[in-house]
Amino acid sequence: MADKLTDTSVPDPPSDELLHRVGLTRAEYEDACVKLGRKPNLVEMGIFGAMWSEHCCYKSSKRYLKTLPVTGKRVLQGPGENAGVMDLGNGWAVVFKIESHNHPSAVEPFQGAATGVGGIIRDIFAMGARPIALLDSLRFGNLRYIPPVGEPAAAEDNGGEIVAAEADQEAVQPGVVIPWQDSPAPYVCTVAWLTNLRAQIFDRGPAARKAIEEIRKLHGDMAEVLAYCVLPDQIQLALWIADDPADGDETVAAIVNMLKASLADLGEGRVKRGQPVWETGYRAHRKYDQLELNEAVNRLEYAPVQRSLVSQVKEYPYVSSVWRYGVAWPDADAELFERPREVPHCPGVTEEQAARNRYLLGGVVEGIAHYGNCIGIPTVGGEVVFDPSYSSNCLVNAMCVGVMKSDALLKGVAHGPGNTALIVGAKTGRDGVQGATFASVDLPEDYAKERPAVQVGDPFMEKLLLEATLEIMKLDGLVGLQDFGAAGLTCSCVEMAARAGTGMKLNLDVVPQRAKDLTAYEMMLSESQERMMVIVERGKEQPFLDVFRKWGLTAVECGEVLPQQNLSVWHNGGEVAKLPNVILGDKAPDYDRPVKEPEYFANRRALNDADIHQALLRIQDQPAPVLPGEELPEPLSKFEEMLRRLLVSPAIACKYPVWQQYDYMVRTNTLAGPGLTDAAVLRIKETGQGLAVATDGSGRHVQLDPKLGAARAVLEAARNVIAVGAEPLGITNCLNFGNPEKPDRMWQFAQTIAGMNEALGELELPVTGGNVSFYNESGGRPILPTPVIGMVGLLAKAEEYVRNRIESPGLELYVLGDFKGRLDGSALIFDLGRTRMGDLASHNYRTFRECQRFILEATRQNALAACHDIADGGLLTALVEMCGSGASIDIGKILPEGYDNDVHNQLGALFGEEGHRWLIAVDQQHRGWVRTAALHYSVKMVQLGETIDGELIVKCNNELVFGCRWDPLAKLRQQGLAAALKG
Amino acid sequence: MQYRCEVYIRPRADILDPQGDAVNNALANLNFQGVSEVKVGKYLTLLLESDGQSAAEEQLDKMCQTLLANPIIEDYEMKVTEA
C-alpha cells in the first residue's frame, strides 16, 4: 500500500523518488512550474502526474493520432468523448469503443480484466446508450515451454539507438578484389545479350538456375567468369580470357554462342513456337584497368536493384557477389542461389513463464466472464493470440458496443457556471491510486510491489449505475456525465470542464469514502470502480437524487461548475489545489519522439526456399500431434503433418474452452455468437437491423512491416465483417506498443498510423475513438507491436447474415480475392517455424472493394451457403474451420509461384496468408447466379473443389498431393486449446 | 509428524469487498441496527505431514501464496499445531 501522502508541502527541489512516485520527469516538473508560474504542491503534483501521463494526455502519440480520418457521413461523435457514435439510420445509433487494461491484468488477471470490462461498459452507457455486446481481444505468452531461437540483436535492447557493429559494416563495403596483372595486360571484358523480344525467360528459379549452372561449367575452361548476373530477359557476364588477347574477341563470341545453344530449350511457353530464344548478337566492352573493371562489375551486380527487381543486391539470388566477397562464388559446392541467412531472434518461453501464462489466461477469462455474465451483457467475440513476446506482458483489450436513439446523445461536458456536480455510485477507496501513471511505466519484474494499483470491480453495482444512468437521461436538467476512468476524479473534472470551456470546484469533504483518512491526493487519484460524475442544472438536483436513491446508489453534490477555467479542489475547509484546466489538458506535453527505422526492417527480404526449409526443420523438432489412442498414418504426408500442428496450436485451435465461460446469449439479441460466423451478429430489435462486430490485430505482420501490417489489421477486421454480409461502418482502435522513448518502437508506432491511414482512406472508414497503450515491455523486451482494430458493420436485415460453417457434402467451394498467398508472415512460418522474417506484399484495395461489393450483393440474394475469411493458418485451416464433413480441392490454379521448390509453392497455396481472400460455399441452386455475378462484379474467383464426406483430398492439377481422414483434423482443432491449458 | 493447519483469509484493508457490502446491506434490510464494515473471508483447515513445525509453516505459507489466498488482494493468517 502506498504510503499516505498527508504532507502537502513539497521539498524544493523535489527528490527523484517523489517525482517518480507522482509520475513526472524532472523536465516535466520544471515545465509545470513555468506554465503554472509557481511551484505546485503535492496534490497538484499528483494531478499533473496523472493528467500528463501517457495514458491520459497521449503525449507521445497525439501528433500521430491527429492524422487519422475521424469524419464521415455517419459519424455523430468522433474521438475525444467517452466513446464514438455512428448513425444507423432509422433514428438509431451505434456506440462503440475499445480500451486496454494490460498492466492491471498482468498484475491481477481476474480483477484486472474484470475492471477493464467494467470501464469500457461505463464509457458506452455514459453516452446514453444501452450496452448490447462485449468483445475481448486477448494476447498471452505461449502456454507451453518453447526454446528461444537465435541471439537477441544488441540494437533491439537499446531501442535501435546503436547502429550495426563495425565489423558488419566492413563486410558489406562494396569493392571488387579481382587480381589484376598489368603485364601482359589481360583480355578482360563485360558481355551481355538479350532474349528474343526481351521475353521474360529467367524470371522463375529453375530457368535462372540452369543458366547459372551452365555459366559455372564454363568457368576455368575457356575463360574465368569474374561476375555474372542473370536477369529475366538477359545474361550479363564479366570475363577474364585466359588466351592470348589477340583471340579475345573470338573467344567471347564462342562463349556466348555456347551458352545460347545450351540454354536454347528454356523458351517453351515464353517465346512463340518456332521463334529463337535469343536475339542475334551480343554487346561486349573491353576493360583496360582495375578501376574500369571495378566500375563495370559494380554496375553489373547492381542491375537487379536498378530494375527494381529487389531493393538490395543481396536479395537477388541470381547474381554473383564479387562486390561483397571479392569472388564470384565463395564456395562452388554451396547452394549459392540461396545463401543461408541468420534467423532473427525469437524469444522462448520458460516452464515458469508458461505456467504463469496459463494462470494469466485462466484468470483473465474468468474475470471477463464474471463481470460480463453478472452485469448481463453478452460477450460475443474477440480473439485469443499467443506469442512469446506477450509472456509476462499480456494484452487485454475490451470492446463494448451499445445502441441508442440518435437524438438522445449525452456528452461529457460541464456547461453552465453554477450548475451542480454530483458524484454517483460506489464509494471512494485507495484502489489504484496512481493507476494511470502505473500504466505508463514498464512493468517491474516483481509485480507484487505494485499492489496498490489493483482495483476490484463490482458488476452488480455497475448494473445499478447503468440502469440509473439510462433513467436520468429522461429527466429535465441533465447537462453531461462522464465515468471515472484512469486518474479518477481528476481526469473526469478536467475533461468535462475543458470540453465546455468552464472550470470546476470540488469539495472533497463530502465525497463518500470507503477507507479511513483518505487524503486529498488519494481521493483525486483514486481509481475506485463504478463511479460517475453527473452535471445537473442548479435547482433541478432533487429528481436525480431520487432516481439514484431508488437504485440504491449514493449520490452527493460534490462541486459546482465555475466560469473561470480552473480546477479548484477543497479539502478540510481549505483550498488544496488550484490549477488552470488549459495547462492540464491543451497545454499538456506533446512530444515529438525520435523515430528510427530498425535494422531488421531495412534488411528485410522475402522468404526463400532455404528459409522455409530451415523453418520446416525447426517445426519438425517436435513430434507430430496425435489424438489420444490414434495411430498416425504411415507414411505421414508433410502437408498433413503441418496441418495437424497448426490445428492444435492454441492460437488457431477452437476457442471453445474460452467462450464456453461467457454468456453470449443473454438479452436474446445474439444471432451469431462465437464460432458460428466470422463476426458476431447482433439484432437491434427495434429496427430489425443487424450489427456485425469483430476485433482483429496481427502482431506478426506488424512486426515484419508495421505499415503494411497495420493496414492489414484494418482489412482483416473488414474481411470478417464483410464475410457475414455486413457493410463496414467504422473502427475503434487499441494500439499496444513498447516504450515510446525508444526510437525503434516509436518508428513502429508512426508506421502503424500511416498504414491504418492508408487502409481507412481506401475503404472510406472513420476512426471514432480508441486508446493507446505504450510501455508494454518487461526487462527491455517489447511485445510484438499490436494494433487491435474493433470494427462495426451494418446488416440491413439482421437475419440475412452469412454463416462461416456448412455441414453437408456436395457444395461447391470457391476462393475469392487475390488468392496467391506466399508464406511470408504466416502462422506456419512465423509462429510454428519461429522465423521472424519475410517481406509482405502490398495490398490490392481495388480487388478488395470488388470482393466486398460482390459478397454484400450475394448476401442480399441469399446466394452463399457459407463465407469464411482465409486468415491465420491459411487455406487448409479455413477449410477445416468451415466444412463440417470434408472437402476435396485442387490448388493447381492458386499456386503462388514464389519459390523454386514445388513443395514450397504448394505449402504457400495451402498455408500462405498473404492477400485478402474469402472461401465461399455455394449450393447447386445458386451456382449460376454466383458465377454470373462474379463476372459482373469482375471479382477474381477460382473454383477450388467441393465439400465431401469424411475426407480431405488435396490435388494439384488433378495430381494427388495428399489425402487424409477428416475426423482427426476436426478433433485436433477442437482439443488443441484445452490440451495446452493443462500444461 | 502430522500438523493441523488453519488459515484465515480476508480481503486486504482498503480493498473493495462487494460480498461484505452485500451482507452489510442485507443485514440493514432485515433491520439489524448498527452494523458496519462487514468483511467476508475464508477459513480453511488441513492436515499436513511434515518434518517439523517450521517446515510445516513454510510449506503452508507457500500454499497460501500460490493457491489458497490471492496475496494481491487478500491477507492471510496461519495457525499450525501438532495434530
Side-chain angles (χ1 to χ4, degrees):
Chain A
M1 187 62 51
D3 294 344
K4 276 199 294 169
L5 297 159
T6 40
D7 185 2
T8 49
S9 66
V10 179
D12 185 29
S15 66
D16 286 344
E17 201 235 319
L18 177 64
L19 285 176
H20 178 75
R21 191 186 287 185
V22 299
L24 288 171
T25 65
R26 192 159 292 279
E28 283 168 352
Y29 172 75
E30 278 157 16
D31 187 27
C33 293
V34 171
K35 283 177 178 160
L36 193 59
R38 63 179 168 85
K39 296 199 184 325
N41 67 24
L42 189 54
V43 176
E44 290 169 333
M45 279 175 71
I47 294 173
F48 269 115
M51 289 308 297
W52 284 11
S53 73
E54 196 67 62
H55 198 89
C56 287
C57 83
Y58 296 96
K59 58 191 171 193
S60 302
S61 56
K62 224 178 330 194
R63 56 184 58 232
Y64 294 100
L65 298 176
K66 276 184 194 156
T67 65
L68 289 169
V70 295
T71 53
K73 60 180 194 298
R74 287 183 183 270
V75 178
L76 297 180
Q77 177 63 58
E81 265 287 348
N82 289 313
V85 185
M86 292 193 79
D87 194 8
L88 294 175
N90 299 348
W92 285 77
V94 59
V95 184
F96 59 100
K97 191 180 183 186
I98 192 166
E99 227 170 47
S100 64
H101 227 219
N102 305 339
H103 292 81
S105 303
V107 174
E108 164 41 46
F110 182 96
Q111 295 297 349
T115 49
V117 171
I120 195 67
I121 294 174
R122 276 198 302 285
D123 278 336
I124 300 305
F125 70 74
M127 299 300 290
R130 178 170 286 283
I132 59 164
L134 290 165
L135 295 96
D136 300 281
S137 177
L138 312 177
R139 278 166 179 77
F140 301 95
N142 298 56
L143 304 175
R144 283 177 176 156
Y145 165 80
I146 42 172
V149 171
E151 288 295 316
E156 197 184 322
D157 273 340
N158 293 287
E161 281 157 29
I162 290 182
V163 290
E166 281 177 29
D168 282 355
Q169 281 187 327
E170 265 171 37
V172 296
Q173 281 295 324
V176 188
V177 203
I178 296 166
W180 184 278
Q181 300 151 320
D182 275 330
S183 175
Y187 187 97
V188 174
C189 72
T190 56
V191 54
W193 65 97
L194 298 167
T195 61
N196 192 9
L197 296 172
R198 309 201 86 160
Q200 306 283 306
I201 290 176
F202 301 107
D203 59 343
R204 287 235 31 217
R209 265 191 209 217
K210 171 86 171 132
I212 293 174
E213 253 170 57
E214 293 297 328
I215 294 169
R216 282 189 179 200
K217 278 189 202 157
L218 187 92
H219 179 67
D221 190 10
M222 296 166 75
E224 285 190 24
V225 179
L226 301 177
Y228 62 82
C229 182
V230 178
L231 293 167
D233 59 354
Q234 60 181 283
I235 292 178
Q236 299 187 4
L237 300 176
L239 299 170
W240 189 89
I241 310 285
D243 282 341
D244 179 51
D247 303 343
D249 292 343
E250 286 163 38
T251 315
V252 172
I255 288 172
V256 172
N257 286 333
M258 266 173 61
L259 280 173
K260 278 186 175 179
S262 59
L263 298 172
D265 57 348
L266 293 176
E268 200 177 324
R270 303 291 174 123
V271 287
K272 275 190 188 160
R273 202 173 284 275
Q275 293 274 322
V277 169
W278 301 104
E279 235 175 53
T280 46
Y282 60 90
R283 274 176 304 161
H285 295 281
R286 201 169 160 190
K287 305 293 165 201
Y288 293 95
D289 59 29
Q290 179 83 59
L291 217 66
E292 271 186 25
L293 175 65
N294 281 0
E295 197 193 322
V297 167
N298 275 338
R299 201 178 312 126
L300 181 153
E301 295 194 335
Y302 192 65
V305 179
Q306 178 103 45
R307 290 155 166 255
S308 309
L309 295 172
V310 286
S311 56
Q312 294 181 64
V313 177
K314 63 179 171 180
E315 291 176 13
Y316 193 72
Y318 314 118
V319 64
S320 59
S321 32
V322 172
W323 68 279
R324 276 193 95 185
Y325 302 112
V327 283
W329 26 77
D331 175 2
D333 297 327
E335 275 289 286
L336 189 76
F337 317 103
E338 277 146 15
R339 289 162 216 123
R341 287 186 290 167
E342 214 175 291
V343 183
H345 171 66
C346 177
V349 173
T350 63
E351 292 283 4
E352 206 182 353
Q353 283 175 320
R356 178 149 181 100
N357 292 338
R358 292 193 294 270
Y359 160 75
L360 285 175
L361 171 60
V364 164
V365 171
E366 267 179 54
I368 291 169
H370 165 73
Y371 210 100
N373 297 0
C374 286
I375 195 170
I377 299 171
T379 303
V380 297
E383 22 165 22
V384 190
V385 178
F386 302 91
D387 184 88
S389 72
Y390 303 119
S391 269
S392 72
N393 216 309
C394 59
L395 300 187
V396 176
N397 296 174
M399 175 171 170
C400 186
V401 184
V403 289
M404 64 187 298
K405 285 281 188 71
S406 42
D407 56 4
L409 192 60
L410 287 181
K411 296 204 178 186
V413 288
H415 281 303
N419 284 341
T420 308
L422 302 178
I423 179 168
V424 183
K427 292 176 180 168
T428 302
R430 286 194 180 87
D431 319 15
V433 170
Q434 285 170 333
T437 48
F438 167 60
S440 301
V441 290
D442 295 1
L443 269 187
E445 306 232 356
D446 181 6
Y447 313 100
K449 286 185 189 152
E450 295 291 342
R451 277 174 200 173
V454 174
Q455 313 129 32
V456 174
D458 181 355
F460 301 108
M461 174 71 89
E462 178 127 321
K463 174 69 177 170
L464 301 174
L465 195 56
L466 158 62
E467 296 302 337
T469 304
L470 295 183
E471 189 168 336
I472 58 162
M473 277 169 55
K474 299 175 192 127
L475 296 180
D476 177 40
L478 179 60
V479 177
L481 67 137
Q482 177 158 352
D483 79 307
F484 288 6
L489 195 51
T490 302
C491 191
S492 300
C493 288
V494 172
E495 284 187 4
M496 289 181 88
R499 287 189 197 115
T502 57
M504 187 97 72
K505 179 185 169 183
L506 273 180
N507 180 7
L508 296 180
D509 295 332
V510 299
V511 172
Q513 298 166 29
R514 197 177 76 232
K516 285 197 185 102
D517 305 328
L518 285 178
T519 63
Y521 179 92
E522 288 166 329
M523 268 190 273
M524 287 308 289
L525 299 178
S526 160
E527 294 189 356
S528 290
Q529 299 288 300
E530 291 91 24
R531 297 180 302 162
M532 296 265 255
M533 176 161 279
V534 182
I535 309 291
V536 179
E537 278 176 35
R538 160 93 27 218
K540 294 183 178 168
E541 296 90 351
Q542 199 50 47
F544 288 85
L545 297 176
D546 292 343
V547 170
F548 290 123
R549 189 175 316 110
K550 182 182 107 186
W551 289 100
L553 296 165
T554 54
V556 295
E557 299 175 21
C558 69
E560 67 169 271
V561 180
L562 297 176
Q564 309 85 2
Q565 299 190 16
N566 278 335
L567 174 66
S568 164
V569 183
W570 292 71
H571 190 224
N572 293 336
E575 190 171 25
V576 291
K578 186 174 184 182
L579 297 167
N581 277 339
V582 180
I583 303 181
L584 297 172
D586 291 349
K587 284 196 185 160
D590 177 5
Y591 293 136
D592 189 2
R593 304 250 191 221
V595 296
K596 183 172 179 299
E597 183 182 285
E599 221 174 304
Y600 81 84
F601 184 74
N603 293 335
R604 75 191 183 285
R605 197 180 85 169
L607 292 178
N608 61 28
D609 287 318
D611 301 328
I612 293 171
H613 182 67
Q614 279 186 14
L616 294 183
L617 289 181
R618 213 170 295 124
I619 295 173
Q620 285 165 314
D621 269 357
Q622 300 289 318
V626 281
L627 290 165
E630 187 202 13
E631 271 185 41
L632 278 176
E634 255 328 309
L636 181 63
S637 138
K638 184 172 270 181
F639 297 100
E640 184 184 347
E641 187 192 335
M642 294 302 156
L643 178 59
R644 281 173 172 254
R645 289 176 192 280
L646 277 170
L647 291 175
V648 295
S649 71
I652 287 177
C654 180
K655 305 297 184 301
Y656 179 74
V658 170
W659 52 256
Q660 76 173 144
Q661 301 186 45
Y662 301 151
D663 183 347
Y664 52 87
M665 292 305 290
V666 64
R667 302 190 67 80
T668 66
N669 285 321
T670 313
L671 293 186
L676 266 182
T677 44
D678 281 10
V681 180
L682 295 146
R683 166 177 51 201
I684 306 176
K685 282 201 186 99
E686 291 83 352
T687 64
Q689 291 167 306
L691 285 176
V693 284
T695 62
D696 250 304
S698 176
R700 58 188 140 87
H701 292 102
V702 181
Q703 170 77 18
L704 292 181
D705 187 330
K707 193 171 171 197
L708 288 174
R712 189 193 154 85
V714 174
L715 292 168
E716 194 172 335
R719 249 151 57 199
N720 286 329
V721 167
I722 293 167
V724 299
E727 181 199 353
L729 293 185
I731 70 159
T732 172
N733 57 19
C734 192
L735 308 171
N736 307 279
F737 284 79
N739 183 346
E741 293 156 41
K742 298 183 179 173
D744 61 342
R745 275 68 144 175
M746 203 56 215
W747 173 84
Q748 289 175 329
F749 182 79
Q751 290 287 304
T752 295
I753 296 291
M756 282 175 46
N757 256 328
E758 180 186 295
L760 291 168
E762 291 281 351
L763 300 188
E764 294 177 26
L765 295 174
V767 180
T768 65
N771 94 327
V772 180
S773 171
F774 278 126
Y775 299 96
N776 287 295
E777 53 184 275
S778 241
R781 297 250 151 263
I783 57 163
L784 295 181
T786 313
V788 173
I789 307 294
M791 187 171 288
V792 173
L794 180 64
L795 277 156
K797 289 188 191 127
E799 284 76 14
E800 277 182 348
Y801 74 91
V802 181
R803 293 167 45 126
N804 70 2
R805 210 168 155 72
I806 33 165
E807 305 296 338
S808 55
L811 294 161
E812 288 186 354
L813 297 170
Y814 296 85
V815 184
L816 209 65
D818 7 82
F819 34 76
K820 299 191 172 182
R822 282 173 53 92
L823 285 167
D824 297 51
S826 64
L828 180 71
I829 300 296
F830 193 100
D831 287 347
L832 264 50
R834 324 215 38 234
T835 306
R836 299 193 154 195
M837 58 184 181
D839 193 12
L840 303 184
S842 55
H843 304 296
N844 187 340
Y845 293 103
R846 222 189 79 188
T847 310
F848 192 94
R849 286 189 297 261
E850 284 161 359
C851 291
Q852 172 175 346
R853 277 195 290 274
F854 170 77
I855 295 175
L856 298 193
E857 182 56 31
T859 304
R860 279 191 286 275
Q861 301 292 333
N862 198 20
L864 303 178
C867 181
H868 186 28
D869 149 46
I870 299 177
D872 296 348
L875 175 64
L876 275 191
T877 307
L879 265 182
V880 176
E881 287 166 354
M882 178 160 125
C883 306
S885 59
S888 167
I889 61 169
D890 191 315
I891 53 170
K893 285 188 195 137
I894 61 167
L895 291 179
E897 298 201 344
Y899 314 104
D900 295 345
N901 186 323
D902 284 340
V903 172
H904 293 177
N905 270 339
Q906 291 171 353
L907 281 172
L910 293 171
F911 300 111
E913 297 173 19
E914 290 262 65
H916 300 282
R917 307 173 292 167
W918 291 265
L919 191 59
I920 59 173
V922 180
D923 58 24
Q924 284 297 324
Q925 196 190 336
H926 293 100
R927 62 185 292 238
W929 187 91
V930 166
R931 286 173 176 226
T932 318
L935 291 175
H936 176 73
Y937 287 89
S938 67
V939 291
K940 294 189 191 168
M941 189 170 90
V942 163
Q943 183 170 5
L944 196 64
E946 57 188 355
T947 57
I948 56 170
D949 201 9
E951 277 180 297
L952 172 64
I953 296 169
V954 177
K955 292 180 193 158
C956 184
N957 293 323
N958 284 322
E959 217 170 279
L960 184 70
V961 177
F962 82 103
C964 63
R965 290 200 300 127
W966 187 265
D967 215 32
L969 301 179
K971 280 196 180 131
L972 284 167
R973 178 172 167 267
Q974 286 298 332
Q975 297 169 7
L977 182 56
L981 279 170
K982 286 182 193 139
Chain B
M1 187 70 86
Q2 217 171 26
Y3 294 88
R4 176 163 297 283
C5 305
E6 294 169 80
V7 189
Y8 295 88
I9 299 164
R10 65 174 75 89
R12 287 170 64 111
D14 291 352
I15 286 268
L16 178 68
D17 177 17
Q19 211 180 340
D21 291 348
V23 173
N24 202 343
N25 291 343
L27 287 172
N29 289 344
L30 293 170
N31 271 333
F32 288 96
Q33 307 286 322
V35 180
S36 67
E37 294 191 23
V38 179
K39 300 278 169 199
V40 177
K42 278 182 285 192
Y43 170 65
L44 287 117
T45 59
L46 53 97
L47 278 178
L48 179 64
E49 189 71 45
S50 189
D51 297 340
Q53 177 86 19
S54 61
E57 278 172 11
E58 203 173 299
Q59 274 173 291
L60 185 62
D61 188 58
K62 202 163 176 199
M63 288 182 222
C64 289
Q65 289 278 350
T66 47
L67 177 72
L68 304 181
N70 178 351
I72 292 169
I73 53 173
E74 290 170 331
D75 284 332
Y76 58 89
E77 272 169 43
M78 308 180 300
K79 211 163 124 191
V80 178
T81 47
E82 269 181 46

